[in-house]
Amino acid sequence: VSSSHPAESCGLNGLPLTPHSISILGAAQILLTCDHSNLARYLDIQRGKHQRIVVVGESWSNNLRHMDQGEITEEKLLSISQQVLLASAYLNQVNIVNLNISRENVMLTEEGQVKLFNYGLGRMTNYG
């Protein structure tokens, strides 16, 4: 939930302050344009009531946390690592820093393709 500016209604320049939810929504628009085979797509980002931001994205039920260590062969580990690095390189090209790489956020499709998930939330909040 993004809060409003409680005590101030104008900035130093005398203009009204932009609600945080509007700033977040504006910064999030680049996420809707990200297109890479190893990224889960953001489908929609909307501002709701009470300054709430709703983010809808692709998701899969399988991720690295659900994999048993015995399932991960050296070949599979190399493939997963390569796909994570390809997605990370793409994000770097579009000036997005992924602050949330974790086993839960490395999703796997039924075919075994890696899809990074939750990669742009830092960008939305100006990394704050």
Side-chain angles (χ1 to χ4, degrees):
V1 175
S2 175
S3 63
S4 298
H5 299 284
E8 309 133 2
S9 59
C10 292
L12 294 175
N13 59 6
L15 296 173
L17 294 172
T18 303
H20 293 302
S21 61
I22 297 293
S23 300
I24 290 170
L25 189 62
Q29 295 308 302
I30 190 170
L31 300 177
L32 295 172
T33 67
C34 288
D35 185 24
H36 189 275
S37 61
N38 297 118
L39 292 177
R41 289 182 320 135
Y42 284 100
L43 303 173
D44 198 10
I45 302 169
Q46 294 185 1
R47 179 176 176 239
K49 291 182 179 181
H50 308 294
Q51 305 293 325
R52 286 185 172 85
I53 300 292
V54 178
V55 179
V56 179
E58 290 181 311
S59 182
W60 289 263
S61 59
N62 196 16
N63 61 38
L64 287 186
R65 178 174 279 297
H66 293 121
M67 291 185 75
D68 291 328
Q69 285 187 338
E71 286 182 67
I72 303 176
T73 63
E74 185 176 332
E75 182 179 323
K76 191 176 246 184
L77 180 61
L78 286 172
S79 175
I80 290 169
S81 299
Q82 180 184 28
Q83 292 177 69
V84 168
L85 289 172
L86 287 170
S88 297
Y90 172 81
L91 290 172
N92 186 53
Q93 288 175 351
V94 294
N95 296 317
I96 296 175
V97 177
N98 186 354
L99 301 175
N100 202 13
I101 295 180
S102 67
R103 293 185 300 168
E104 293 83 5
N105 291 331
V106 177
M107 309 295 264
L108 298 167
T109 66
E110 292 77 20
E111 297 79 26
Q113 183 180 22
V114 167
K115 297 283 189 172
L116 283 187
F117 182 72
N118 277 348
Y119 52 85
L121 301 181
R123 170 77 181 230
M124 289 174 58
T125 60
N126 200 22
Y127 303 101

mmCIF file of all heavy atoms in Angstrom, residues 40-77:
data_model
loop_
_atom_site.group_PDB
_atom_site.id
_atom_site.type_symbol
_atom_site.label_atom_id
_atom_site.label_comp_id
_atom_site.label_asym_id
_atom_site.label_seq_id
_atom_site.Cartn_x
_atom_site.Cartn_y
_atom_site.Cartn_z
ATOM 1 N N ALA A 40 8.887 -13.697 -16.572
ATOM 2 C CA ALA A 40 7.430 -13.750 -16.444
ATOM 3 C C ALA A 40 6.919 -12.360 -16.809
ATOM 4 O O ALA A 40 7.475 -11.359 -16.364
ATOM 5 C CB ALA A 40 7.040 -14.118 -15.018
ATOM 6 N N ARG A 41 5.901 -12.305 -17.628
ATOM 7 C CA ARG A 41 5.397 -11.005 -18.084
ATOM 8 C C ARG A 41 4.490 -10.377 -17.036
ATOM 9 O O ARG A 41 3.724 -11.062 -16.365
ATOM 10 C CB ARG A 41 4.605 -11.159 -19.381
ATOM 11 C CG ARG A 41 5.459 -11.481 -20.575
ATOM 12 C CD ARG A 41 4.661 -11.578 -21.863
ATOM 13 N NE ARG A 41 3.374 -12.245 -21.653
ATOM 14 C CZ ARG A 41 2.218 -11.799 -22.149
ATOM 15 N NH1 ARG A 41 2.176 -10.731 -22.896
ATOM 16 N NH2 ARG A 41 1.110 -12.452 -21.930
ATOM 17 N N TYR A 42 4.599 -9.054 -16.928
ATOM 18 C CA TYR A 42 3.618 -8.293 -16.156
ATOM 19 C C TYR A 42 2.460 -8.038 -17.101
ATOM 20 O O TYR A 42 2.644 -7.508 -18.193
ATOM 21 C CB TYR A 42 4.206 -6.973 -15.657
ATOM 22 C CG TYR A 42 5.138 -7.162 -14.478
ATOM 23 C CD1 TYR A 42 6.516 -7.172 -14.638
ATOM 24 C CD2 TYR A 42 4.617 -7.345 -13.207
ATOM 25 C CE1 TYR A 42 7.352 -7.364 -13.559
ATOM 26 C CE2 TYR A 42 5.451 -7.533 -12.118
ATOM 27 C CZ TYR A 42 6.819 -7.543 -12.301
ATOM 28 O OH TYR A 42 7.652 -7.732 -11.232
ATOM 29 N N LEU A 43 1.261 -8.413 -16.704
ATOM 30 C CA LEU A 43 0.093 -8.308 -17.565
ATOM 31 C C LEU A 43 -0.663 -7.003 -17.366
ATOM 32 O O LEU A 43 -1.203 -6.444 -18.313
ATOM 33 C CB LEU A 43 -0.841 -9.498 -17.317
ATOM 34 C CG LEU A 43 -0.191 -10.873 -17.509
ATOM 35 C CD1 LEU A 43 -1.140 -11.977 -17.081
ATOM 36 C CD2 LEU A 43 0.263 -11.053 -18.937
ATOM 37 N N ASP A 44 -0.705 -6.519 -16.125
ATOM 38 C CA ASP A 44 -1.437 -5.290 -15.841
ATOM 39 C C ASP A 44 -0.955 -4.709 -14.517
ATOM 40 O O ASP A 44 -0.588 -5.452 -13.605
ATOM 41 C CB ASP A 44 -2.936 -5.561 -15.772
ATOM 42 C CG ASP A 44 -3.788 -4.308 -15.922
ATOM 43 O OD1 ASP A 44 -3.237 -3.239 -16.273
ATOM 44 O OD2 ASP A 44 -5.004 -4.397 -15.694
ATOM 45 N N ILE A 45 -0.962 -3.398 -14.446
ATOM 46 C CA ILE A 45 -0.623 -2.683 -13.217
ATOM 47 C C ILE A 45 -1.633 -1.556 -13.096
ATOM 48 O O ILE A 45 -1.741 -0.713 -13.987
ATOM 49 C CB ILE A 45 0.813 -2.135 -13.262
ATOM 50 C CG1 ILE A 45 1.807 -3.285 -13.475
ATOM 51 C CG2 ILE A 45 1.138 -1.374 -11.972
ATOM 52 C CD1 ILE A 45 3.208 -2.858 -13.791
ATOM 53 N N GLN A 46 -2.395 -1.566 -12.002
ATOM 54 C CA GLN A 46 -3.456 -0.578 -11.839
ATOM 55 C C GLN A 46 -3.400 0.057 -10.462
ATOM 56 O O GLN A 46 -2.923 -0.555 -9.508
ATOM 57 C CB GLN A 46 -4.833 -1.227 -12.013
ATOM 58 C CG GLN A 46 -5.093 -1.725 -13.396
ATOM 59 C CD GLN A 46 -6.513 -2.244 -13.546
ATOM 60 O OE1 GLN A 46 -7.319 -2.213 -12.631
ATOM 61 N NE2 GLN A 46 -6.821 -2.725 -14.737
ATOM 62 N N ARG A 47 -3.932 1.260 -10.388
ATOM 63 C CA ARG A 47 -4.075 1.965 -9.123
ATOM 64 C C ARG A 47 -5.518 1.795 -8.672
ATOM 65 O O ARG A 47 -6.449 2.131 -9.388
ATOM 66 C CB ARG A 47 -3.751 3.442 -9.314
ATOM 67 C CG ARG A 47 -3.882 4.268 -8.072
ATOM 68 C CD ARG A 47 -3.442 5.705 -8.369
ATOM 69 N NE ARG A 47 -3.637 6.536 -7.216
ATOM 70 C CZ ARG A 47 -4.392 7.612 -7.184
ATOM 71 N NH1 ARG A 47 -5.015 8.019 -8.280
ATOM 72 N NH2 ARG A 47 -4.532 8.318 -6.088
ATOM 73 N N GLY A 48 -5.696 1.247 -7.463
ATOM 74 C CA GLY A 48 -7.031 1.020 -6.934
ATOM 75 C C GLY A 48 -7.389 2.035 -5.868
ATOM 76 O O GLY A 48 -6.755 3.096 -5.732
ATOM 77 N N LYS A 49 -8.396 1.714 -5.105
ATOM 78 C CA LYS A 49 -8.837 2.580 -4.021
ATOM 79 C C LYS A 49 -7.774 2.672 -2.935
ATOM 80 O O LYS A 49 -6.986 1.745 -2.742
ATOM 81 C CB LYS A 49 -10.121 2.031 -3.401
ATOM 82 C CG LYS A 49 -11.330 2.120 -4.295
ATOM 83 C CD LYS A 49 -12.553 1.599 -3.556
ATOM 84 C CE LYS A 49 -13.779 1.710 -4.422
ATOM 85 N NZ LYS A 49 -14.973 1.228 -3.711
ATOM 86 N N HIS A 50 -7.785 3.771 -2.222
ATOM 87 C CA HIS A 50 -6.921 3.978 -1.059
ATOM 88 C C HIS A 50 -5.434 3.847 -1.399
ATOM 89 O O HIS A 50 -4.665 3.288 -0.635
ATOM 90 C CB HIS A 50 -7.299 3.022 0.078
ATOM 91 C CG HIS A 50 -8.750 3.055 0.421
ATOM 92 N ND1 HIS A 50 -9.360 4.159 0.965
ATOM 93 C CD2 HIS A 50 -9.725 2.128 0.255
ATOM 94 C CE1 HIS A 50 -10.653 3.907 1.146
ATOM 95 N NE2 HIS A 50 -10.896 2.682 0.713
ATOM 96 N N GLN A 51 -5.033 4.328 -2.568
ATOM 97 C CA GLN A 51 -3.637 4.365 -2.994
ATOM 98 C C GLN A 51 -3.029 2.972 -3.189
ATOM 99 O O GLN A 51 -1.818 2.823 -3.164
ATOM 100 C CB GLN A 51 -2.783 5.149 -1.982
ATOM 101 C CG GLN A 51 -3.253 6.552 -1.691
ATOM 102 C CD GLN A 51 -3.119 7.466 -2.897
ATOM 103 O OE1 GLN A 51 -2.191 7.347 -3.671
ATOM 104 N NE2 GLN A 51 -4.062 8.375 -3.049
ATOM 105 N N ARG A 52 -3.827 1.949 -3.369
ATOM 106 C CA ARG A 52 -3.304 0.596 -3.551
ATOM 107 C C ARG A 52 -2.912 0.384 -5.012
ATOM 108 O O ARG A 52 -3.617 0.791 -5.923
ATOM 109 C CB ARG A 52 -4.342 -0.433 -3.136
ATOM 110 C CG ARG A 52 -4.494 -0.520 -1.637
ATOM 111 C CD ARG A 52 -5.451 -1.632 -1.251
ATOM 112 N NE ARG A 52 -5.464 -1.844 0.181
ATOM 113 C CZ ARG A 52 -6.216 -1.148 1.028
ATOM 114 N NH1 ARG A 52 -7.003 -0.193 0.584
ATOM 115 N NH2 ARG A 52 -6.174 -1.406 2.316
ATOM 116 N N ILE A 53 -1.793 -0.288 -5.185
ATOM 117 C CA ILE A 53 -1.326 -0.666 -6.514
ATOM 118 C C ILE A 53 -1.527 -2.177 -6.658
ATOM 119 O O ILE A 53 -1.095 -2.952 -5.800
ATOM 120 C CB ILE A 53 0.164 -0.314 -6.716
ATOM 121 C CG1 ILE A 53 0.404 1.180 -6.547
ATOM 122 C CG2 ILE A 53 0.672 -0.818 -8.053
ATOM 123 C CD1 ILE A 53 -0.205 2.042 -7.629
ATOM 124 N N VAL A 54 -2.172 -2.586 -7.739
ATOM 125 C CA VAL A 54 -2.414 -4.000 -8.003
ATOM 126 C C VAL A 54 -1.543 -4.391 -9.202
ATOM 127 O O VAL A 54 -1.626 -3.775 -10.260
ATOM 128 C CB VAL A 54 -3.902 -4.267 -8.312
ATOM 129 C CG1 VAL A 54 -4.130 -5.732 -8.637
ATOM 130 C CG2 VAL A 54 -4.774 -3.811 -7.149
ATOM 131 N N VAL A 55 -0.712 -5.413 -9.002
ATOM 132 C CA VAL A 55 0.195 -5.896 -10.043
ATOM 133 C C VAL A 55 -0.220 -7.321 -10.404
ATOM 134 O O VAL A 55 -0.319 -8.174 -9.530
ATOM 135 C CB VAL A 55 1.660 -5.869 -9.551
ATOM 136 C CG1 VAL A 55 2.596 -6.400 -10.624
ATOM 137 C CG2 VAL A 55 2.061 -4.475 -9.102
ATOM 138 N N VAL A 56 -0.452 -7.549 -11.701
ATOM 139 C CA VAL A 56 -0.845 -8.874 -12.178
ATOM 140 C C VAL A 56 0.227 -9.356 -13.138
ATOM 141 O O VAL A 56 0.594 -8.650 -14.079
ATOM 142 C CB VAL A 56 -2.210 -8.822 -12.900
ATOM 143 C CG1 VAL A 56 -2.611 -10.198 -13.409
ATOM 144 C CG2 VAL A 56 -3.279 -8.238 -11.993
ATOM 145 N N GLY A 57 0.728 -10.550 -12.877
ATOM 146 C CA GLY A 57 1.766 -11.098 -13.745
ATOM 147 C C GLY A 57 1.603 -12.589 -13.938
ATOM 148 O O GLY A 57 0.844 -13.250 -13.229
ATOM 149 N N GLU A 58 2.328 -13.102 -14.928
ATOM 150 C CA GLU A 58 2.329 -14.547 -15.170
ATOM 151 C C GLU A 58 2.950 -15.257 -13.970
ATOM 152 O O GLU A 58 3.836 -14.718 -13.312
ATOM 153 C CB GLU A 58 3.179 -14.879 -16.395
ATOM 154 C CG GLU A 58 2.604 -14.433 -17.702
ATOM 155 C CD GLU A 58 3.503 -14.823 -18.855
ATOM 156 O OE1 GLU A 58 4.707 -14.567 -18.800
ATOM 157 O OE2 GLU A 58 2.965 -15.384 -19.825
ATOM 158 N N SER A 59 2.489 -16.470 -13.736
ATOM 159 C CA SER A 59 3.040 -17.256 -12.634
ATOM 160 C C SER A 59 2.915 -18.736 -12.974
ATOM 161 O O SER A 59 2.019 -19.138 -13.721
ATOM 162 C CB SER A 59 2.282 -16.935 -11.341
ATOM 163 O OG SER A 59 2.831 -17.651 -10.267
ATOM 164 N N TRP A 60 3.797 -19.515 -12.427
ATOM 165 C CA TRP A 60 3.772 -20.961 -12.588
ATOM 166 C C TRP A 60 3.846 -21.583 -11.205
ATOM 167 O O TRP A 60 4.384 -20.989 -10.272
ATOM 168 C CB TRP A 60 4.958 -21.442 -13.445
ATOM 169 C CG TRP A 60 4.810 -21.066 -14.875
ATOM 170 C CD1 TRP A 60 4.319 -21.855 -15.879
ATOM 171 C CD2 TRP A 60 5.105 -19.804 -15.483
ATOM 172 N NE1 TRP A 60 4.302 -21.155 -17.065
ATOM 173 C CE2 TRP A 60 4.782 -19.892 -16.849
ATOM 174 C CE3 TRP A 60 5.608 -18.595 -15.009
ATOM 175 C CZ2 TRP A 60 4.948 -18.846 -17.740
ATOM 176 C CZ3 TRP A 60 5.767 -17.544 -15.885
ATOM 177 C CH2 TRP A 60 5.450 -17.670 -17.229
ATOM 178 N N SER A 61 3.333 -22.778 -11.067
ATOM 179 C CA SER A 61 3.307 -23.417 -9.750
ATOM 180 C C SER A 61 4.663 -24.002 -9.360
ATOM 181 O O SER A 61 4.926 -24.229 -8.188
ATOM 182 C CB SER A 61 2.235 -24.507 -9.711
ATOM 183 O OG SER A 61 2.484 -25.477 -10.705
ATOM 184 N N ASN A 62 5.519 -24.236 -10.331
ATOM 185 C CA ASN A 62 6.813 -24.846 -10.039
ATOM 186 C C ASN A 62 7.902 -23.783 -9.990
ATOM 187 O O ASN A 62 7.971 -22.910 -10.849
ATOM 188 C CB ASN A 62 7.148 -25.896 -11.104
ATOM 189 C CG ASN A 62 8.250 -26.825 -10.673
ATOM 190 O OD1 ASN A 62 8.592 -26.916 -9.502
ATOM 191 N ND2 ASN A 62 8.825 -27.527 -11.628
ATOM 192 N N ASN A 63 8.753 -23.868 -8.966
ATOM 193 C CA ASN A 63 9.908 -22.984 -8.870
ATOM 194 C C ASN A 63 11.071 -23.766 -8.265
ATOM 195 O O ASN A 63 10.923 -24.940 -7.917
ATOM 196 C CB ASN A 63 9.576 -21.712 -8.070
ATOM 197 C CG ASN A 63 9.157 -22.001 -6.648
ATOM 198 O OD1 ASN A 63 9.692 -22.891 -5.993
ATOM 199 N ND2 ASN A 63 8.190 -21.250 -6.158
ATOM 200 N N LEU A 64 12.212 -23.117 -8.143
ATOM 201 C CA LEU A 64 13.395 -23.834 -7.651
ATOM 202 C C LEU A 64 13.223 -24.337 -6.217
ATOM 203 O O LEU A 64 13.805 -25.341 -5.840
ATOM 204 C CB LEU A 64 14.631 -22.942 -7.734
ATOM 205 C CG LEU A 64 15.189 -22.705 -9.132
ATOM 206 C CD1 LEU A 64 16.491 -21.924 -9.048
ATOM 207 C CD2 LEU A 64 15.405 -24.000 -9.887
ATOM 208 N N ARG A 65 12.427 -23.663 -5.415
ATOM 209 C CA ARG A 65 12.218 -24.107 -4.035
ATOM 210 C C ARG A 65 11.547 -25.482 -4.007
ATOM 211 O O ARG A 65 11.811 -26.284 -3.123
ATOM 212 C CB ARG A 65 11.389 -23.121 -3.247
ATOM 213 C CG ARG A 65 11.136 -23.629 -1.805
ATOM 214 C CD ARG A 65 10.450 -22.658 -0.931
ATOM 215 N NE ARG A 65 11.233 -21.633 -0.316
ATOM 216 C CZ ARG A 65 12.217 -21.801 0.555
ATOM 217 N NH1 ARG A 65 12.629 -23.014 0.856
ATOM 218 N NH2 ARG A 65 12.828 -20.790 1.095
ATOM 219 N N HIS A 66 10.695 -25.758 -4.980
ATOM 220 C CA HIS A 66 9.968 -27.022 -5.003
ATOM 221 C C HIS A 66 10.789 -28.178 -5.564
ATOM 222 O O HIS A 66 10.336 -29.321 -5.518
ATOM 223 C CB HIS A 66 8.674 -26.879 -5.817
ATOM 224 C CG HIS A 66 7.687 -25.963 -5.176
ATOM 225 N ND1 HIS A 66 7.223 -24.838 -5.803
ATOM 226 C CD2 HIS A 66 7.108 -25.979 -3.958
ATOM 227 C CE1 HIS A 66 6.378 -24.213 -5.007
ATOM 228 N NE2 HIS A 66 6.297 -24.878 -3.879
ATOM 229 N N MET A 67 11.960 -27.897 -6.095
ATOM 230 C CA MET A 67 12.781 -28.964 -6.679
ATOM 231 C C MET A 67 13.629 -29.632 -5.607
ATOM 232 O O MET A 67 14.228 -28.966 -4.771
ATOM 233 C CB MET A 67 13.696 -28.405 -7.767
ATOM 234 C CG MET A 67 12.954 -27.954 -9.007
ATOM 235 S SD MET A 67 14.083 -27.434 -10.314
ATOM 236 C CE MET A 67 14.661 -29.016 -10.882
ATOM 237 N N ASP A 68 13.666 -30.952 -5.634
ATOM 238 C CA ASP A 68 14.560 -31.695 -4.746
ATOM 239 C C ASP A 68 15.973 -31.593 -5.286
ATOM 240 O O ASP A 68 16.183 -31.571 -6.503
ATOM 241 C CB ASP A 68 14.161 -33.183 -4.694
ATOM 242 C CG ASP A 68 12.834 -33.392 -3.986
ATOM 243 O OD1 ASP A 68 12.527 -32.622 -3.058
ATOM 244 O OD2 ASP A 68 12.109 -34.332 -4.380
ATOM 245 N N GLN A 69 16.946 -31.544 -4.381
ATOM 246 C CA GLN A 69 18.335 -31.441 -4.832
ATOM 247 C C GLN A 69 18.728 -32.632 -5.693
ATOM 248 O O GLN A 69 19.535 -32.494 -6.608
ATOM 249 C CB GLN A 69 19.274 -31.303 -3.636
ATOM 250 C CG GLN A 69 19.222 -29.931 -3.019
ATOM 251 C CD GLN A 69 20.277 -29.748 -1.943
ATOM 252 O OE1 GLN A 69 20.771 -30.721 -1.385
ATOM 253 N NE2 GLN A 69 20.612 -28.510 -1.665
ATOM 254 N N GLY A 70 18.139 -33.778 -5.450
ATOM 255 C CA GLY A 70 18.430 -34.958 -6.258
ATOM 256 C C GLY A 70 17.954 -34.829 -7.693
ATOM 257 O O GLY A 70 18.467 -35.494 -8.586
ATOM 258 N N GLU A 71 16.965 -33.963 -7.929
ATOM 259 C CA GLU A 71 16.428 -33.748 -9.278
ATOM 260 C C GLU A 71 17.352 -32.904 -10.141
ATOM 261 O O GLU A 71 17.256 -32.923 -11.357
ATOM 262 C CB GLU A 71 15.104 -32.981 -9.215
ATOM 263 C CG GLU A 71 13.911 -33.734 -8.747
ATOM 264 C CD GLU A 71 12.690 -32.843 -8.803
ATOM 265 O OE1 GLU A 71 12.265 -32.480 -9.923
ATOM 266 O OE2 GLU A 71 12.166 -32.490 -7.739
ATOM 267 N N ILE A 72 18.213 -32.126 -9.509
ATOM 268 C CA ILE A 72 19.006 -31.140 -10.241
ATOM 269 C C ILE A 72 20.338 -31.762 -10.656
ATOM 270 O O ILE A 72 21.246 -31.925 -9.856
ATOM 271 C CB ILE A 72 19.241 -29.868 -9.401
ATOM 272 C CG1 ILE A 72 17.903 -29.265 -8.976
ATOM 273 C CG2 ILE A 72 20.043 -28.848 -10.188
ATOM 274 C CD1 ILE A 72 18.009 -28.061 -8.078
ATOM 275 N N THR A 73 20.421 -32.091 -11.932
ATOM 276 C CA THR A 73 21.665 -32.613 -12.485
ATOM 277 C C THR A 73 22.576 -31.431 -12.820
ATOM 278 O O THR A 73 22.143 -30.271 -12.851
ATOM 279 C CB THR A 73 21.391 -33.415 -13.765
ATOM 280 O OG1 THR A 73 20.840 -32.521 -14.751
ATOM 281 C CG2 THR A 73 20.423 -34.562 -13.514
ATOM 282 N N GLU A 74 23.813 -31.721 -13.097
ATOM 283 C CA GLU A 74 24.750 -30.668 -13.489
ATOM 284 C C GLU A 74 24.288 -29.976 -14.769
ATOM 285 O O GLU A 74 24.347 -28.756 -14.883
ATOM 286 C CB GLU A 74 26.155 -31.256 -13.681
ATOM 287 C CG GLU A 74 27.206 -30.212 -13.967
ATOM 288 C CD GLU A 74 28.604 -30.797 -14.052
ATOM 289 O OE1 GLU A 74 28.876 -31.830 -13.411
ATOM 290 O OE2 GLU A 74 29.425 -30.213 -14.782
ATOM 291 N N GLU A 75 23.785 -30.759 -15.704
ATOM 292 C CA GLU A 75 23.293 -30.199 -16.966
ATOM 293 C C GLU A 75 22.102 -29.265 -16.725
ATOM 294 O O GLU A 75 22.021 -28.181 -17.291
ATOM 295 C CB GLU A 75 22.881 -31.340 -17.904
ATOM 296 C CG GLU A 75 22.400 -30.879 -19.262
ATOM 297 C CD GLU A 75 22.022 -32.065 -20.150
ATOM 298 O OE1 GLU A 75 22.694 -33.106 -20.096
ATOM 299 O OE2 GLU A 75 21.034 -31.917 -20.895
ATOM 300 N N LYS A 76 21.183 -29.692 -15.870
ATOM 301 C CA LYS A 76 20.003 -28.878 -15.567
ATOM 302 C C LYS A 76 20.415 -27.599 -14.836
ATOM 303 O O LYS A 76 19.890 -26.524 -15.116
ATOM 304 C CB LYS A 76 19.020 -29.678 -14.709
ATOM 305 C CG LYS A 76 17.667 -29.033 -14.559
ATOM 306 C CD LYS A 76 16.727 -29.933 -13.768
ATOM 307 C CE LYS A 76 15.626 -30.390 -14.673
ATOM 308 N NZ LYS A 76 14.615 -31.202 -13.981
ATOM 309 N N LEU A 77 21.362 -27.698 -13.916
ATOM 310 C CA LEU A 77 21.853 -26.529 -13.180
ATOM 311 C C LEU A 77 22.493 -25.517 -14.124
ATOM 312 O O LEU A 77 22.253 -24.308 -14.009
ATOM 313 C CB LEU A 77 22.840 -26.955 -12.099
ATOM 314 C CG LEU A 77 23.441 -25.834 -11.252
ATOM 315 C CD1 LEU A 77 22.354 -25.088 -10.498
ATOM 316 C CD2 LEU A 77 24.473 -26.393 -10.298
#
